[in-house]
Amino acid sequence: MLENFSFRAIVEYLPLFGQGLFTTVWLSLLSFAGALAVGIVLVAMNLQPARLFRLPAKAFIDAVRATPLLAQLYFLYFGLPRLGFILPELGVGILALSLNSGAYIAEIIRAGILSIHRGQVEAGIASGMTFIQRMRFVILPQAFKVTIPPLLGQAIVLVKDSALLSLISVAELTRAGQLLASDRFMPAEGFMTIAAFYLLLYYGLKGLAALSAYWLGLAPTGART
């Protein structure tokens, strides 16, 4: 079955895969940091009573969640230059991932904040706390604990979505496999190696999510070890 499978070609291209893996990791980190910033701004606007802030945030979140990431990526890559904004491929990719994941992160954070019992908020109001004090001392510490596992789940999605950046010639992990497939006409070797590396990234992030749930006391009670 594997008589025509060339492990030697994979070994020869390992430096390229290593470089692509490094690029995937650091651009995913940058994109996730950007997505957190976007999500925090959006959820702050979305929770405002004033429609002037709430409606634009809700419209942006709905627009991002209703359209494919590929369409958003192509809009930024081909559309921004028409509007006078020219960014390098990496910049476009990080911007697209940040805006896309930011919309989902905003909903994750909003759900975490709204999960706090209303009685605790009313107790803070009765104690004379301002809105900022209630958020800082009552709501956010508890919401942070609840949102960490789903945020790490969104990070896994972001890492997988970064493969789309190969379509705009970003030299990340998927692009390395495409080069092996096209240079040597070995698609099986190229794409199976990509899958193996993404599997390693997935299990690494999944393990981090499980550890965070355990540290935060969110692991299911009575679970078998």
Side-chain angles (χ1 to χ4, degrees), residues 186-207:
M186 296 178 175
E189 288 81 351
F191 293 112
M192 286 186 67
T193 307
I194 293 172
F197 277 111
Y198 275 115
L199 198 61
L200 290 175
L201 290 174
Y202 166 76
Y203 277 112
L205 289 171
K206 184 180 178 182

Side-chain angles (χ1 to χ4, degrees), residues 31-153:
S31 299
F32 190 71
L36 279 176
V38 171
I40 291 171
V41 171
L42 288 174
V43 78
M45 294 174 62
N46 204 8
L47 293 177
Q48 292 294 322
R51 295 165 63 91
L52 179 64
F53 295 101
R54 190 175 69 253
L55 291 181
K58 182 174 176 54
F60 177 84
I61 292 172
D62 289 343
V64 169
R65 297 178 68 186
T67 55
L69 174 56
L70 181 59
Q72 299 164 21
L73 179 63
Y74 278 165
F75 169 77
L76 294 175
Y77 186 66
F78 295 108
L80 286 183
R82 297 290 300 271
L83 299 176
F85 300 98
I86 300 176
L87 296 176
E89 287 83 359
L90 268 176
V92 171
I94 292 173
L95 179 61
L97 291 174
S98 297
L99 294 177
N100 181 270
S101 286
Y104 291 92
I105 286 176
E107 290 297 279
I108 292 172
I109 297 175
R110 186 176 72 91
I113 291 175
L114 294 179
S115 69
I116 307 305
H117 196 275
R118 178 66 185 173
Q120 299 188 40
V121 179
E122 293 174 350
I125 296 174
S127 301
M129 288 185 174
T130 64
F131 174 77
I132 295 178
Q133 289 175 331
R134 294 196 303 272
M135 292 294 292
R136 179 180 177 184
F137 297 110
V138 179
I139 299 174
L140 290 182
Q142 299 179 73
F144 176 79
K145 178 179 179 180
V146 174
T147 56
I148 286 297
L151 284 176
L152 288 173

Side-chain angles (χ1 to χ4, degrees), residues 173-184:
L173 186 56
T174 302
R175 184 64 176 169
Q178 289 175 341
L179 290 175
L180 172 56
S182 61
D183 291 348
R184 298 291 188 88

Side-chain angles (χ1 to χ4, degrees), residues 210-224:
L211 282 176
S212 71
Y214 177 77
W215 291 333
L216 295 171
L218 299 176
T221 57
R224 295 182 179 180

